[in-house]
Amino acid sequence: MAPTKDPAGGFGDEREADPHAIPGEEAPSGAPSGSCPPVEDLLGRLNLEEEEDAGFVWEDEVKEPDVKAKWLAIAKVHTNRGFSPSALFADMRSAWNPAQEVTWRKLEDNLFTIQFACLGDWNKATKQGPWVFRNQAVMIEEYDGFSNPKSVVLDKIMVWA
């Protein structure tokens, strides 16, 4: 086969080399040239002895890592009157102007958990208050996501004087 000039300016062989090909082996018949052999064929060629197989971790044995709750807060609206949670969410979204998604979960009538997607949004909501909703205080505290939400004390609001 004669070398030809490729578009990049170099000289190469007319046929293209398969970067995934196993050296010294031909592509299976019926498989297009330059394609990888199916996984089943590769696993069929794998010859593990019993003592080797004991240390091999199969995919279904792998445990998913525990997801740690990050950037959580707990919030309480200091009111006994009823209100629309979606109105609260919209007002706080407007006040905080978060860079990423904020997920609210209702625990009770006026108690919520808030999951922030980034640290900057969490810092703003938890440290740059005070926040109000319909002239009522919205108290926000850091929350670990595991402890009882009712054990978090929400009885103060910080203000600049």
Side-chain angles (χ1 to χ4, degrees):
M1 212 175 269
T4 59
K5 189 168 186 174
D6 68 3
F11 286 92
D13 203 348
E14 286 180 357
R15 58 192 167 136
E16 201 164 304
D18 181 7
H20 303 291
I22 300 170
E25 288 197 13
E26 295 288 323
S29 61
S33 82
S35 69
C36 296
V39 174
E40 291 81 20
D41 290 347
L42 293 174
L43 287 175
R45 288 189 261 159
L46 185 63
N47 186 16
L48 292 176
E49 299 298 322
E50 192 169 324
E51 59 263 358
E52 292 173 331
D53 188 32
F56 192 75
V57 178
W58 296 98
E59 186 175 339
D60 59 338
E61 294 175 3
V62 177
K63 281 177 91 174
E64 289 293 321
D66 293 334
V67 178
K68 185 177 179 186
K70 292 193 327 186
W71 306 315
L72 275 173
I74 191 161
K76 181 177 184 178
V77 180
H78 189 56
T79 184
N80 291 329
R81 299 185 325 167
F83 62 90
S84 167
S86 59
L88 169 68
F89 307 159
D91 281 7
M92 292 298 101
R93 184 174 41 248
S94 175
W96 296 334
N97 191 20
Q100 295 186 19
E101 183 180 355
V102 176
T103 305
W104 291 76
R105 289 180 189 87
K106 183 177 178 180
L107 300 175
E108 290 180 355
D109 287 338
N110 63 345
L111 188 65
F112 304 89
T113 59
I114 312 164
Q115 173 87 50
F116 295 90
C118 75
L119 179 61
D121 293 339
W122 180 83
N123 278 332
K124 183 173 188 176
T126 58
K127 295 179 175 44
Q128 292 184 9
W131 307 110
V132 293
F133 172 67
R134 296 187 181 161
N135 295 324
Q136 302 297 320
V138 178
M139 296 167 284
I140 298 179
E141 289 291 329
E142 181 178 349
Y143 181 56
D144 63 6
F146 301 106
S147 61
N148 184 354
K150 294 179 183 180
S151 69
V152 178
V153 179
L154 293 165
D155 62 353
K156 63 182 179 249
I157 187 167
M158 292 189 335
V159 294
W160 288 90

PDB file of all heavy atoms in Angstrom, residues 89-121:
ATOM      1  N   PHE A  89     -42.040  31.117  48.672  1.00  0.00           N
ATOM      2  CA  PHE A  89     -40.927  30.697  47.837  1.00  0.00           C
ATOM      3  C   PHE A  89     -40.597  31.770  46.800  1.00  0.00           C
ATOM      4  O   PHE A  89     -39.433  32.090  46.570  1.00  0.00           O
ATOM      5  CB  PHE A  89     -41.225  29.379  47.129  1.00  0.00           C
ATOM      6  CG  PHE A  89     -41.655  28.255  48.033  1.00  0.00           C
ATOM      7  CD1 PHE A  89     -42.352  27.185  47.518  1.00  0.00           C
ATOM      8  CD2 PHE A  89     -41.380  28.256  49.394  1.00  0.00           C
ATOM      9  CE1 PHE A  89     -42.757  26.137  48.328  1.00  0.00           C
ATOM     10  CE2 PHE A  89     -41.784  27.214  50.221  1.00  0.00           C
ATOM     11  CZ  PHE A  89     -42.479  26.150  49.680  1.00  0.00           C
ATOM     12  N   ALA A  90     -41.620  32.340  46.194  1.00  0.00           N
ATOM     13  CA  ALA A  90     -41.411  33.378  45.174  1.00  0.00           C
ATOM     14  C   ALA A  90     -40.796  34.636  45.789  1.00  0.00           C
ATOM     15  O   ALA A  90     -39.877  35.224  45.203  1.00  0.00           O
ATOM     16  CB  ALA A  90     -42.728  33.703  44.478  1.00  0.00           C
ATOM     17  N   ASP A  91     -41.281  35.050  46.949  1.00  0.00           N
ATOM     18  CA  ASP A  91     -40.723  36.240  47.607  1.00  0.00           C
ATOM     19  C   ASP A  91     -39.265  36.031  48.003  1.00  0.00           C
ATOM     20  O   ASP A  91     -38.433  36.925  47.823  1.00  0.00           O
ATOM     21  CB  ASP A  91     -41.548  36.607  48.843  1.00  0.00           C
ATOM     22  CG  ASP A  91     -42.823  37.345  48.506  1.00  0.00           C
ATOM     23  OD1 ASP A  91     -43.153  37.465  47.301  1.00  0.00           O
ATOM     24  OD2 ASP A  91     -43.505  37.799  49.450  1.00  0.00           O
ATOM     25  N   MET A  92     -38.938  34.875  48.541  1.00  0.00           N
ATOM     26  CA  MET A  92     -37.560  34.623  48.947  1.00  0.00           C
ATOM     27  C   MET A  92     -36.648  34.481  47.722  1.00  0.00           C
ATOM     28  O   MET A  92     -35.505  34.942  47.739  1.00  0.00           O
ATOM     29  CB  MET A  92     -37.464  33.370  49.824  1.00  0.00           C
ATOM     30  CG  MET A  92     -38.120  33.514  51.190  1.00  0.00           C
ATOM     31  SD  MET A  92     -37.371  34.789  52.222  1.00  0.00           S
ATOM     32  CE  MET A  92     -38.517  36.128  52.040  1.00  0.00           C
ATOM     33  N   ARG A  93     -37.154  33.876  46.660  1.00  0.00           N
ATOM     34  CA  ARG A  93     -36.367  33.776  45.420  1.00  0.00           C
ATOM     35  C   ARG A  93     -36.061  35.180  44.889  1.00  0.00           C
ATOM     36  O   ARG A  93     -34.951  35.470  44.458  1.00  0.00           O
ATOM     37  CB  ARG A  93     -37.109  32.946  44.374  1.00  0.00           C
ATOM     38  CG  ARG A  93     -36.320  32.709  43.108  1.00  0.00           C
ATOM     39  CD  ARG A  93     -36.982  31.754  42.102  1.00  0.00           C
ATOM     40  NE  ARG A  93     -38.406  31.935  41.966  1.00  0.00           N
ATOM     41  CZ  ARG A  93     -39.323  31.044  42.364  1.00  0.00           C
ATOM     42  NH1 ARG A  93     -38.945  29.935  42.939  1.00  0.00           N
ATOM     43  NH2 ARG A  93     -40.603  31.273  42.184  1.00  0.00           N
ATOM     44  N   SER A  94     -37.036  36.067  44.985  1.00  0.00           N
ATOM     45  CA  SER A  94     -36.834  37.449  44.544  1.00  0.00           C
ATOM     46  C   SER A  94     -35.832  38.170  45.446  1.00  0.00           C
ATOM     47  O   SER A  94     -34.974  38.916  44.968  1.00  0.00           O
ATOM     48  CB  SER A  94     -38.174  38.179  44.544  1.00  0.00           C
ATOM     49  OG  SER A  94     -37.997  39.525  44.228  1.00  0.00           O
ATOM     50  N   ALA A  95     -35.913  37.965  46.745  1.00  0.00           N
ATOM     51  CA  ALA A  95     -35.014  38.638  47.688  1.00  0.00           C
ATOM     52  C   ALA A  95     -33.583  38.100  47.597  1.00  0.00           C
ATOM     53  O   ALA A  95     -32.624  38.864  47.648  1.00  0.00           O
ATOM     54  CB  ALA A  95     -35.536  38.476  49.115  1.00  0.00           C
ATOM     55  N   TRP A  96     -33.432  36.793  47.467  1.00  0.00           N
ATOM     56  CA  TRP A  96     -32.108  36.186  47.447  1.00  0.00           C
ATOM     57  C   TRP A  96     -31.447  36.259  46.076  1.00  0.00           C
ATOM     58  O   TRP A  96     -30.235  36.269  45.980  1.00  0.00           O
ATOM     59  CB  TRP A  96     -32.169  34.728  47.880  1.00  0.00           C
ATOM     60  CG  TRP A  96     -32.616  34.508  49.279  1.00  0.00           C
ATOM     61  CD1 TRP A  96     -32.510  35.383  50.334  1.00  0.00           C
ATOM     62  CD2 TRP A  96     -33.237  33.340  49.803  1.00  0.00           C
ATOM     63  NE1 TRP A  96     -33.030  34.829  51.466  1.00  0.00           N
ATOM     64  CE2 TRP A  96     -33.490  33.564  51.177  1.00  0.00           C
ATOM     65  CE3 TRP A  96     -33.617  32.126  49.262  1.00  0.00           C
ATOM     66  CZ2 TRP A  96     -34.085  32.623  51.998  1.00  0.00           C
ATOM     67  CZ3 TRP A  96     -34.206  31.180  50.071  1.00  0.00           C
ATOM     68  CH2 TRP A  96     -34.443  31.434  51.427  1.00  0.00           C
ATOM     69  N   ASN A  97     -32.243  36.229  45.016  1.00  0.00           N
ATOM     70  CA  ASN A  97     -31.737  36.187  43.640  1.00  0.00           C
ATOM     71  C   ASN A  97     -30.656  35.108  43.504  1.00  0.00           C
ATOM     72  O   ASN A  97     -29.498  35.393  43.207  1.00  0.00           O
ATOM     73  CB  ASN A  97     -31.196  37.556  43.222  1.00  0.00           C
ATOM     74  CG  ASN A  97     -30.918  37.624  41.737  1.00  0.00           C
ATOM     75  OD1 ASN A  97     -31.434  36.834  40.966  1.00  0.00           O
ATOM     76  ND2 ASN A  97     -30.082  38.566  41.343  1.00  0.00           N
ATOM     77  N   PRO A  98     -31.017  33.838  43.747  1.00  0.00           N
ATOM     78  CA  PRO A  98     -30.006  32.767  43.764  1.00  0.00           C
ATOM     79  C   PRO A  98     -29.414  32.512  42.380  1.00  0.00           C
ATOM     80  O   PRO A  98     -30.084  32.651  41.358  1.00  0.00           O
ATOM     81  CB  PRO A  98     -30.787  31.550  44.254  1.00  0.00           C
ATOM     82  CG  PRO A  98     -32.201  31.827  43.874  1.00  0.00           C
ATOM     83  CD  PRO A  98     -32.362  33.323  43.950  1.00  0.00           C
ATOM     84  N   ALA A  99     -28.137  32.136  42.378  1.00  0.00           N
ATOM     85  CA  ALA A  99     -27.449  31.817  41.132  1.00  0.00           C
ATOM     86  C   ALA A  99     -27.875  30.449  40.595  1.00  0.00           C
ATOM     87  O   ALA A  99     -27.861  30.222  39.394  1.00  0.00           O
ATOM     88  CB  ALA A  99     -25.938  31.832  41.348  1.00  0.00           C
ATOM     89  N   GLN A 100     -28.251  29.549  41.509  1.00  0.00           N
ATOM     90  CA  GLN A 100     -28.657  28.207  41.102  1.00  0.00           C
ATOM     91  C   GLN A 100     -29.959  27.838  41.799  1.00  0.00           C
ATOM     92  O   GLN A 100     -30.500  28.601  42.592  1.00  0.00           O
ATOM     93  CB  GLN A 100     -27.555  27.203  41.424  1.00  0.00           C
ATOM     94  CG  GLN A 100     -26.301  27.455  40.613  1.00  0.00           C
ATOM     95  CD  GLN A 100     -25.264  26.380  40.829  1.00  0.00           C
ATOM     96  OE1 GLN A 100     -25.549  25.288  41.294  1.00  0.00           O
ATOM     97  NE2 GLN A 100     -24.021  26.686  40.479  1.00  0.00           N
ATOM     98  N   GLU A 101     -30.418  26.631  41.524  1.00  0.00           N
ATOM     99  CA  GLU A 101     -31.715  26.170  42.018  1.00  0.00           C
ATOM    100  C   GLU A 101     -31.761  26.074  43.547  1.00  0.00           C
ATOM    101  O   GLU A 101     -30.797  25.682  44.189  1.00  0.00           O
ATOM    102  CB  GLU A 101     -32.020  24.803  41.415  1.00  0.00           C
ATOM    103  CG  GLU A 101     -33.359  24.247  41.797  1.00  0.00           C
ATOM    104  CD  GLU A 101     -33.627  22.889  41.181  1.00  0.00           C
ATOM    105  OE1 GLU A 101     -32.823  22.415  40.376  1.00  0.00           O
ATOM    106  OE2 GLU A 101     -34.660  22.307  41.529  1.00  0.00           O
ATOM    107  N   VAL A 102     -32.910  26.444  44.095  1.00  0.00           N
ATOM    108  CA  VAL A 102     -33.179  26.319  45.522  1.00  0.00           C
ATOM    109  C   VAL A 102     -34.408  25.422  45.663  1.00  0.00           C
ATOM    110  O   VAL A 102     -35.437  25.679  45.044  1.00  0.00           O
ATOM    111  CB  VAL A 102     -33.444  27.696  46.170  1.00  0.00           C
ATOM    112  CG1 VAL A 102     -33.823  27.533  47.631  1.00  0.00           C
ATOM    113  CG2 VAL A 102     -32.229  28.596  46.028  1.00  0.00           C
ATOM    114  N   THR A 103     -34.295  24.353  46.466  1.00  0.00           N
ATOM    115  CA  THR A 103     -35.391  23.400  46.636  1.00  0.00           C
ATOM    116  C   THR A 103     -35.980  23.548  48.034  1.00  0.00           C
ATOM    117  O   THR A 103     -35.265  23.433  49.034  1.00  0.00           O
ATOM    118  CB  THR A 103     -34.885  21.955  46.437  1.00  0.00           C
ATOM    119  OG1 THR A 103     -34.249  21.860  45.170  1.00  0.00           O
ATOM    120  CG2 THR A 103     -36.028  20.962  46.518  1.00  0.00           C
ATOM    121  N   TRP A 104     -37.281  23.794  48.087  1.00  0.00           N
ATOM    122  CA  TRP A 104     -38.004  23.942  49.356  1.00  0.00           C
ATOM    123  C   TRP A 104     -38.785  22.663  49.629  1.00  0.00           C
ATOM    124  O   TRP A 104     -39.362  22.069  48.714  1.00  0.00           O
ATOM    125  CB  TRP A 104     -38.997  25.093  49.266  1.00  0.00           C
ATOM    126  CG  TRP A 104     -38.380  26.462  49.191  1.00  0.00           C
ATOM    127  CD1 TRP A 104     -37.791  27.033  48.102  1.00  0.00           C
ATOM    128  CD2 TRP A 104     -38.327  27.426  50.234  1.00  0.00           C
ATOM    129  NE1 TRP A 104     -37.373  28.297  48.411  1.00  0.00           N
ATOM    130  CE2 TRP A 104     -37.689  28.566  49.715  1.00  0.00           C
ATOM    131  CE3 TRP A 104     -38.755  27.432  51.556  1.00  0.00           C
ATOM    132  CZ2 TRP A 104     -37.475  29.694  50.476  1.00  0.00           C
ATOM    133  CZ3 TRP A 104     -38.540  28.569  52.307  1.00  0.00           C
ATOM    134  CH2 TRP A 104     -37.898  29.689  51.780  1.00  0.00           C
ATOM    135  N   ARG A 105     -38.841  22.255  50.902  1.00  0.00           N
ATOM    136  CA  ARG A 105     -39.682  21.123  51.328  1.00  0.00           C
ATOM    137  C   ARG A 105     -40.471  21.558  52.556  1.00  0.00           C
ATOM    138  O   ARG A 105     -39.898  22.014  53.545  1.00  0.00           O
ATOM    139  CB  ARG A 105     -38.820  19.915  51.669  1.00  0.00           C
ATOM    140  CG  ARG A 105     -38.211  19.280  50.453  1.00  0.00           C
ATOM    141  CD  ARG A 105     -37.356  18.079  50.812  1.00  0.00           C
ATOM    142  NE  ARG A 105     -36.613  17.623  49.662  1.00  0.00           N
ATOM    143  CZ  ARG A 105     -35.429  18.102  49.304  1.00  0.00           C
ATOM    144  NH1 ARG A 105     -34.853  19.052  49.996  1.00  0.00           N
ATOM    145  NH2 ARG A 105     -34.803  17.638  48.233  1.00  0.00           N
ATOM    146  N   LYS A 106     -41.769  21.394  52.482  1.00  0.00           N
ATOM    147  CA  LYS A 106     -42.635  21.789  53.590  1.00  0.00           C
ATOM    148  C   LYS A 106     -42.655  20.679  54.635  1.00  0.00           C
ATOM    149  O   LYS A 106     -42.918  19.518  54.325  1.00  0.00           O
ATOM    150  CB  LYS A 106     -44.053  22.051  53.068  1.00  0.00           C
ATOM    151  CG  LYS A 106     -45.008  22.537  54.110  1.00  0.00           C
ATOM    152  CD  LYS A 106     -46.361  22.836  53.495  1.00  0.00           C
ATOM    153  CE  LYS A 106     -47.337  23.288  54.566  1.00  0.00           C
ATOM    154  NZ  LYS A 106     -48.646  23.585  53.992  1.00  0.00           N
ATOM    155  N   LEU A 107     -42.369  21.044  55.904  1.00  0.00           N
ATOM    156  CA  LEU A 107     -42.423  20.087  57.002  1.00  0.00           C
ATOM    157  C   LEU A 107     -43.709  20.238  57.799  1.00  0.00           C
ATOM    158  O   LEU A 107     -44.318  19.251  58.194  1.00  0.00           O
ATOM    159  CB  LEU A 107     -41.226  20.278  57.932  1.00  0.00           C
ATOM    160  CG  LEU A 107     -39.849  20.105  57.291  1.00  0.00           C
ATOM    161  CD1 LEU A 107     -38.762  20.443  58.282  1.00  0.00           C
ATOM    162  CD2 LEU A 107     -39.678  18.698  56.759  1.00  0.00           C
ATOM    163  N   GLU A 108     -44.086  21.476  58.072  1.00  0.00           N
ATOM    164  CA  GLU A 108     -45.325  21.807  58.780  1.00  0.00           C
ATOM    165  C   GLU A 108     -45.907  23.054  58.119  1.00  0.00           C
ATOM    166  O   GLU A 108     -45.393  23.520  57.118  1.00  0.00           O
ATOM    167  CB  GLU A 108     -45.045  22.072  60.265  1.00  0.00           C
ATOM    168  CG  GLU A 108     -44.655  20.851  61.047  1.00  0.00           C
ATOM    169  CD  GLU A 108     -44.395  21.162  62.512  1.00  0.00           C
ATOM    170  OE1 GLU A 108     -44.420  22.347  62.901  1.00  0.00           O
ATOM    171  OE2 GLU A 108     -44.155  20.213  63.265  1.00  0.00           O
ATOM    172  N   ASP A 109     -46.952  23.621  58.738  1.00  0.00           N
ATOM    173  CA  ASP A 109     -47.601  24.790  58.144  1.00  0.00           C
ATOM    174  C   ASP A 109     -46.630  25.938  57.916  1.00  0.00           C
ATOM    175  O   ASP A 109     -46.713  26.618  56.904  1.00  0.00           O
ATOM    176  CB  ASP A 109     -48.760  25.270  59.026  1.00  0.00           C
ATOM    177  CG  ASP A 109     -49.944  24.327  58.937  1.00  0.00           C
ATOM    178  OD1 ASP A 109     -50.033  23.584  57.937  1.00  0.00           O
ATOM    179  OD2 ASP A 109     -50.769  24.335  59.870  1.00  0.00           O
ATOM    180  N   ASN A 110     -45.720  26.192  58.840  1.00  0.00           N
ATOM    181  CA  ASN A 110     -44.801  27.315  58.668  1.00  0.00           C
ATOM    182  C   ASN A 110     -43.339  26.920  58.881  1.00  0.00           C
ATOM    183  O   ASN A 110     -42.517  27.750  59.208  1.00  0.00           O
ATOM    184  CB  ASN A 110     -45.191  28.480  59.584  1.00  0.00           C
ATOM    185  CG  ASN A 110     -45.099  28.115  61.041  1.00  0.00           C
ATOM    186  OD1 ASN A 110     -45.009  26.944  61.390  1.00  0.00           O
ATOM    187  ND2 ASN A 110     -45.117  29.111  61.903  1.00  0.00           N
ATOM    188  N   LEU A 111     -43.016  25.645  58.667  1.00  0.00           N
ATOM    189  CA  LEU A 111     -41.651  25.139  58.840  1.00  0.00           C
ATOM    190  C   LEU A 111     -41.206  24.447  57.551  1.00  0.00           C
ATOM    191  O   LEU A 111     -41.933  23.590  57.022  1.00  0.00           O
ATOM    192  CB  LEU A 111     -41.602  24.157  60.016  1.00  0.00           C
ATOM    193  CG  LEU A 111     -40.232  23.685  60.467  1.00  0.00           C
ATOM    194  CD1 LEU A 111     -39.420  24.854  61.026  1.00  0.00           C
ATOM    195  CD2 LEU A 111     -40.373  22.592  61.511  1.00  0.00           C
ATOM    196  N   PHE A 112     -40.020  24.819  57.070  1.00  0.00           N
ATOM    197  CA  PHE A 112     -39.543  24.330  55.779  1.00  0.00           C
ATOM    198  C   PHE A 112     -38.067  23.998  55.859  1.00  0.00           C
ATOM    199  O   PHE A 112     -37.324  24.603  56.629  1.00  0.00           O
ATOM    200  CB  PHE A 112     -39.716  25.414  54.701  1.00  0.00           C
ATOM    201  CG  PHE A 112     -41.113  25.917  54.561  1.00  0.00           C
ATOM    202  CD1 PHE A 112     -41.553  26.990  55.326  1.00  0.00           C
ATOM    203  CD2 PHE A 112     -41.996  25.334  53.675  1.00  0.00           C
ATOM    204  CE1 PHE A 112     -42.842  27.464  55.219  1.00  0.00           C
ATOM    205  CE2 PHE A 112     -43.284  25.804  53.557  1.00  0.00           C
ATOM    206  CZ  PHE A 112     -43.713  26.867  54.323  1.00  0.00           C
ATOM    207  N   THR A 113     -37.628  23.029  55.026  1.00  0.00           N
ATOM    208  CA  THR A 113     -36.201  22.839  54.794  1.00  0.00           C
ATOM    209  C   THR A 113     -35.902  23.420  53.424  1.00  0.00           C
ATOM    210  O   THR A 113     -36.741  23.378  52.516  1.00  0.00           O
ATOM    211  CB  THR A 113     -35.771  21.357  54.836  1.00  0.00           C
ATOM    212  OG1 THR A 113     -36.486  20.633  53.851  1.00  0.00           O
ATOM    213  CG2 THR A 113     -35.976  20.763  56.211  1.00  0.00           C
ATOM    214  N   ILE A 114     -34.694  23.959  53.306  1.00  0.00           N
ATOM    215  CA  ILE A 114     -34.281  24.589  52.054  1.00  0.00           C
ATOM    216  C   ILE A 114     -32.940  23.998  51.653  1.00  0.00           C
ATOM    217  O   ILE A 114     -31.999  23.996  52.434  1.00  0.00           O
ATOM    218  CB  ILE A 114     -34.137  26.119  52.220  1.00  0.00           C
ATOM    219  CG1 ILE A 114     -35.348  26.713  52.919  1.00  0.00           C
ATOM    220  CG2 ILE A 114     -33.919  26.781  50.872  1.00  0.00           C
ATOM    221  CD1 ILE A 114     -35.117  28.115  53.441  1.00  0.00           C
ATOM    222  N   GLN A 115     -32.847  23.477  50.427  1.00  0.00           N
ATOM    223  CA  GLN A 115     -31.606  22.900  49.889  1.00  0.00           C
ATOM    224  C   GLN A 115     -31.080  23.857  48.821  1.00  0.00           C
ATOM    225  O   GLN A 115     -31.775  24.140  47.844  1.00  0.00           O
ATOM    226  CB  GLN A 115     -31.882  21.539  49.263  1.00  0.00           C
ATOM    227  CG  GLN A 115     -30.691  20.939  48.541  1.00  0.00           C
ATOM    228  CD  GLN A 115     -29.806  20.151  49.449  1.00  0.00           C
ATOM    229  OE1 GLN A 115     -30.284  19.311  50.179  1.00  0.00           O
ATOM    230  NE2 GLN A 115     -28.515  20.396  49.396  1.00  0.00           N
ATOM    231  N   PHE A 116     -29.864  24.338  49.019  1.00  0.00           N
ATOM    232  CA  PHE A 116     -29.243  25.248  48.062  1.00  0.00           C
ATOM    233  C   PHE A 116     -28.275  24.461  47.190  1.00  0.00           C
ATOM    234  O   PHE A 116     -27.635  23.515  47.645  1.00  0.00           O
ATOM    235  CB  PHE A 116     -28.496  26.366  48.798  1.00  0.00           C
ATOM    236  CG  PHE A 116     -29.414  27.269  49.577  1.00  0.00           C
ATOM    237  CD1 PHE A 116     -29.735  26.985  50.895  1.00  0.00           C
ATOM    238  CD2 PHE A 116     -29.976  28.387  48.992  1.00  0.00           C
ATOM    239  CE1 PHE A 116     -30.580  27.798  51.612  1.00  0.00           C
ATOM    240  CE2 PHE A 116     -30.825  29.206  49.701  1.00  0.00           C
ATOM    241  CZ  PHE A 116     -31.133  28.915  51.021  1.00  0.00           C
ATOM    242  N   ALA A 117     -28.136  24.871  45.940  1.00  0.00           N
ATOM    243  CA  ALA A 117     -27.254  24.180  45.006  1.00  0.00           C
ATOM    244  C   ALA A 117     -25.833  24.729  45.034  1.00  0.00           C
ATOM    245  O   ALA A 117     -24.939  24.142  44.446  1.00  0.00           O
ATOM    246  CB  ALA A 117     -27.816  24.257  43.584  1.00  0.00           C
ATOM    247  N   CYS A 118     -25.619  25.872  45.689  1.00  0.00           N
ATOM    248  CA  CYS A 118     -24.257  26.391  45.778  1.00  0.00           C
ATOM    249  C   CYS A 118     -24.064  27.121  47.109  1.00  0.00           C
ATOM    250  O   CYS A 118     -25.012  27.619  47.719  1.00  0.00           O
ATOM    251  CB  CYS A 118     -23.909  27.285  44.594  1.00  0.00           C
ATOM    252  SG  CYS A 118     -24.621  28.908  44.608  1.00  0.00           S
ATOM    253  N   LEU A 119     -22.822  27.174  47.532  1.00  0.00           N
ATOM    254  CA  LEU A 119     -22.457  27.753  48.820  1.00  0.00           C
ATOM    255  C   LEU A 119     -22.781  29.243  48.893  1.00  0.00           C
ATOM    256  O   LEU A 119     -23.229  29.741  49.923  1.00  0.00           O
ATOM    257  CB  LEU A 119     -20.975  27.518  49.092  1.00  0.00           C
ATOM    258  CG  LEU A 119     -20.401  28.083  50.385  1.00  0.00           C
ATOM    259  CD1 LEU A 119     -21.099  27.479  51.591  1.00  0.00           C
ATOM    260  CD2 LEU A 119     -18.907  27.855  50.447  1.00  0.00           C
ATOM    261  N   GLY A 120     -22.584  29.976  47.820  1.00  0.00           N
ATOM    262  CA  GLY A 120     -22.851  31.409  47.820  1.00  0.00           C
ATOM    263  C   GLY A 120     -24.309  31.725  48.110  1.00  0.00           C
ATOM    264  O   GLY A 120     -24.613  32.646  48.892  1.00  0.00           O
ATOM    265  N   ASP A 121     -25.215  30.967  47.519  1.00  0.00           N
ATOM    266  CA  ASP A 121     -26.645  31.176  47.764  1.00  0.00           C
ATOM    267  C   ASP A 121     -26.984  30.841  49.217  1.00  0.00           C
ATOM    268  O   ASP A 121     -27.766  31.539  49.863  1.00  0.00           O
ATOM    269  CB  ASP A 121     -27.495  30.319  46.820  1.00  0.00           C
ATOM    270  CG  ASP A 121     -27.361  30.749  45.369  1.00  0.00           C
ATOM    271  OD1 ASP A 121     -26.968  31.904  45.121  1.00  0.00           O
ATOM    272  OD2 ASP A 121     -27.655  29.923  44.485  1.00  0.00           O
TER     273      ASP A 121
END
